[in-house]
Amino acid sequence: MEDHGIDNSIYQHKIFIDFISYWFAQVGSVIVLVAMMCLVTIDVILRDIFNAPIRGANDVNCLLMMILVLLSLSYCWTRRGHIRMELLVRILPKRGRNFCWALAALAGSTVFGFMSLQSFYAVIDAIELHEITFEANVVLWPFRIIYLIGCLVFTIQMIVDFFRYLRATFVYEKAV
């Protein structure tokens, strides 16, 4: 009987990162999206009816949009809900499709890995410089930390998927 220790390790990491991705997406879609809708609605009502817009509503809305996208990105990848080009991939055999997914995961993990590294430095800079938004004077370092966490989770998700698809390319044909 073969030793599938690496398979079990990849599978366990996949389950863990999928769990985190799911709950980040839930927080993003339930809490942040509702907060964005309420903020925009209240701002429009105050601006149009009372001629008193909320100062900095656009700044806060942009920060909330960033949180929404980054917390949901990893789950979107997991569910294959992202926009992708499948025209050429569909005609490939399973091994070819798995290899294409492995390359996509490698490219994504590289890009988001560098984004994670850069966002780590941005967190440090935001704390040291006491960075705030222009209009609302909202402190930015907590949002930069959320950005960092979102990038890290997505990077880990793609690294785990890279190994899963690479393994499926050369050993099994099950991943796709």
Side-chain angles (χ1 to χ4, degrees), residues 94-161:
K94 273 190 175 181
R95 286 181 188 248
R97 280 182 276 169
N98 284 332
F99 187 69
C100 285
W101 278 107
L103 287 178
L106 179 64
S109 63
T110 302
V111 169
F112 276 88
F114 283 122
M115 285 175 64
S116 299
L117 181 64
Q118 184 59 41
S119 64
F120 173 74
Y121 294 128
V123 168
I124 293 171
D125 287 344
I127 292 171
E128 287 177 353
L129 301 174
H130 306 291
E131 195 174 9
I132 58 173
T133 60
F134 178 70
E135 199 173 315
N137 294 330
V138 175
V139 177
L140 283 180
W141 67 263
F143 296 97
R144 303 260 181 177
I145 289 174
I146 294 171
Y147 184 91
L148 171 63
I149 291 169
C151 286
L152 279 175
V153 167
F154 192 45
T155 302
I156 294 167
Q157 175 76 42
M158 295 190 104
I159 289 170
V160 169
D161 279 351

Side-chain angles (χ1 to χ4, degrees), residues 9-45:
S9 175
I10 291 171
Y11 183 69
Q12 289 170 351
H13 286 93
K14 179 74 176 148
I15 289 173
F16 179 69
I17 198 70
D18 286 351
F19 177 77
I20 291 173
S21 298
Y22 172 78
W23 283 106
F24 277 5
Q26 294 304 312
V27 167
S29 62
V30 172
I31 296 172
V32 177
L33 189 59
V34 170
M36 284 176 62
M37 289 187 314
C38 291
L39 179 64
V40 169
T41 303
I42 292 169
D43 186 44
V44 168
I45 290 171

